[in-house]
């Protein structure tokens, strides 16, 4: 595992990380890019869409394991979900009194848990809609249809699915779309929050999520 860049001054306890560990960075940017591509560019149900969805699922699982086994600042215990602390933090931010936290600040923590909850809903509803088909199965189905063999699709719509199954898929589709849009709203608030916090704290928050930040 790559060692973090050596900071130019000794960090004081309670300081945020000068560089998030590689797993946090990988899962953050992998999830962020996949969500934005899936929500903005891609057609729902396409091979790319389902593949990115499975990638998000894998990265999310990895991040959940890392929240228990990872280094101190990546652990859930370092940024517990605490709505009251988040409100207090936002009040302090408005009044210009900010403090540093050793991990995400309480408002950022709520945002992270909200993202993860939405991602879990979007991936589970995606799996319900596709009947759990893996990207390989979706690719095989598309290849069969492209070569003129429609039997894969006919199997899906041959009336074997019960009314309950159809209504479950329909509900999953509605929830999937609503929560995907919610993710985009959260992403806009999140990016705005990152820049507002960075300004108030007079420190670059994005650099530690990319390649690291030298301490002054
Ligand atoms: C990772 C985050 C995801 C986001 C942001 C996302 C977003 C969306 C959006 C906005 C739509 C509606 C737009 C359209 O139909 O073109 C959609 C549809 C769809 N998504 Fe996703 N999706 C994600 C993950 C997944 C996963 C994991 C799967 C499957 C394993 C999946 C399967 C589908 C399917 C099958 C549709 C088509 C629904 C229909 O028939 O209308 N998605 N997705
Ligand atoms: C859909 C897009 C995005 C999603 C789903 C997302 C999600 C998240 C999540 C879940 C965390 C917590 C990280 C962890 O502990 O693993 C986080 C933190 C962070 N994100 Fe994003 N993010 C997105 C886009 C962005 C963008 C575009 C930026 C760049 C401006 C960004 C900058 C950051 C930073 C700097 C942090 C750490 C904040 C801190 O210092 O506490 N994110 N993001």
């Amino acid at each position: 595992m790559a060692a973090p860049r050596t900071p130019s001054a000794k960090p004081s306890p309670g300081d945020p990380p000068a560089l998030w560990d590689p797993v946090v960075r990988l899962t953050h940017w992998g999830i962020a890019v996949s969500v934005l591509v899936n929500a903005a560019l891609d057609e729902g149900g396409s091979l790319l869409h389902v593949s990115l969805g499975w990638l998000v699922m894998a990265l999310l699982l990895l991040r959940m394991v890392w929240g228990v086994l990872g280094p101190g600042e990546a652990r859930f215990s370092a940024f517990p979900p605490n709505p009251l602390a988040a409100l207090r933090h936002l009040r302090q931010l408005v009044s210009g009194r900010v403090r540093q936290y050793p991990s995400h600040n309480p408002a950022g923590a709520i945002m992270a848990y909200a993202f993860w909850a939405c991602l879990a809903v979007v991936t589970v509803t995606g799996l319900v809609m596709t009947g759990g088909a893996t990207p390989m199965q979706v690719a095989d189905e598309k290849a069969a249809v492209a070569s003129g063999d429609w039997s894969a699709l006919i199997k899906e719509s041959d009336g074997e699915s019960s009314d309950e199954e159809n209504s479950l898929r329909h509900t999953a589709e509605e929830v999937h779309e609503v929560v995907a849009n919610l993710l985009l709203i959260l992403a806009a608030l999140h990016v705005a929050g990152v820049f507002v916090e960075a300004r108030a704290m007079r420190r670059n928050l994005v650099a530690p999520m990319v390649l690291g930040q030298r301490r002054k």
Side-chain angles (χ1 to χ4, degrees):
M1 200 171 282
R5 226 180 244 188
T6 320
S8 54
K10 224 178 165 217
S12 14
D15 266 4
L19 177 62
W20 288 95
D21 73 73
V23 173
V24 168
R25 285 180 287 145
L26 171 80
T27 54
H28 178 267
W29 292 113
I31 289 175
V33 170
S34 308
V35 163
L36 294 176
V37 172
N38 256 5
L41 294 181
D42 197 31
E43 185 192 320
S46 69
L47 179 57
L48 177 62
H49 188 100
V50 174
S51 305
L52 287 175
W54 275 71
L55 177 65
V56 167
M57 226 180 320
L59 293 173
L60 185 61
L61 278 177
L62 172 61
R63 182 62 183 97
M64 296 302 100
V65 172
W66 208 238
V68 180
L69 301 180
E73 71 271 8
R75 293 197 184 187
F76 301 131
S77 53
F79 58 104
N82 183 341
L84 288 180
L87 284 176
R88 207 175 316 126
H89 174 79
L90 292 177
R91 269 207 310 271
Q92 287 171 350
L93 193 67
V94 170
S95 63
R97 289 174 294 128
V98 279
R99 49 165 287 207
Q100 307 283 343
Y101 292 87
S103 181
H104 303 304
N105 69 58
I110 295 283
M111 180 62 80
Y113 290 105
F115 268 133
W116 291 329
C118 288
L119 290 167
V121 172
V122 159
T123 49
V124 168
T125 50
L127 286 177
V128 170
M129 281 190 287
T130 50
T134 61
M136 281 77 77
Q137 288 168 319
V138 173
D140 287 347
E141 188 184 301
K142 304 241 178 239
V145 170
S147 67
D149 172 11
W150 290 83
S151 59
L153 289 188
I154 293 164
K155 249 183 266 155
E156 273 177 16
S157 53
D158 62 0
E160 272 176 29
S161 311
S162 64
D163 284 351
E164 287 102 283
E165 268 170 345
N166 287 336
S167 108
L168 178 66
R169 280 183 192 209
H170 182 69
T171 309
E173 199 179 309
E174 309 252 293
V175 173
H176 189 81
E177 238 181 286
V178 169
V179 178
N181 288 326
L182 184 58
L183 268 172
L184 292 185
I185 296 172
L186 286 181
L189 288 174
H190 169 60
V191 172
V194 165
F195 286 105
V196 169
E197 294 274 358
R199 214 184 141 90
M201 287 179 182
R202 292 197 186 82
R203 69 194 321 276
N204 185 342
L205 293 179
V206 179
M209 202 37 111
V210 185
L211 287 172
Q213 166 171 277
R214 289 192 167 273
R215 288 171 197 276
K216 295 196 184 88

